[in-house]
Structure formats: structure tokens, C-alpha cells
Amino acid sequence: MLKLALTFLVIGVVLAVLGFGGIGGAFIGIAKILFFIALALFVLFLVLGLIAGKKVKDAID
């Protein structure tokens, strides 16, 4: 998802440089949304992984 956000960001910057500010701004907005979704999913999976790892460790002991 970060790769997709980076792609949208680059396309948005190129469009803005070429003079298509409205479309470029929309692409940059989409990139921002995708970045925050990816960040939230990363934190969620990190917490779930730590919880699952702790349960496995407790089951072994």
C-alpha cells in the first residue's frame, strides 16, 4: 500500500508541475489517505503480532 501511495504522490507532483493543479492535488490527497491507512494497518498488525507472540510464549512456559 505504501508503494501505491508513493506512486500516487509522484504522479500528483508530475501533474502539478505540468500545470494540472487540480488533478495533481487530488492525486496527492489520495496518496495522503493511502499513507495514513497503511500506517494504521502497520500499527494494528504490530499490536496483534505482539499480543499473539505473548500468548504463544505463555503457552510454552
Side-chain angles (χ1 to χ4, degrees), residues 5 7-13 15 21-32:
T7 303
F8 271 92
L9 179 66
V10 169
I11 291 172
V13 168
L15 286 172
I23 299 172
F27 270 84
I28 292 174
I30 292 170
K32 189 188 307 185

Side-chain angles (χ1 to χ4, degrees), residues 7 10 16 18 25 27 31 44 47 55-56 58-59:
T7 303
V10 169
L18 292 175
F27 270 84
L44 175 71
V47 169
K55 284 185 180 182
V56 169
D58 290 341

Side-chain angles (χ1 to χ4, degrees), residues 8-57:
F8 271 92
L9 179 66
V10 169
I11 291 172
V13 168
V14 169
L15 286 172
V17 168
L18 292 175
F20 300 103
I23 299 172
F27 270 84
I28 292 174
I30 292 170
K32 189 188 307 185
I33 291 169
L34 288 174
F35 174 74
F36 284 119
I37 290 173
L39 190 64
L41 286 174
F42 174 74
V43 170
L44 175 71
F45 288 135
L46 182 67
V47 169
L48 290 175
L50 290 173
I51 291 171
K54 188 173 183 178
K55 284 185 180 182
V56 169
K57 184 180 176 191

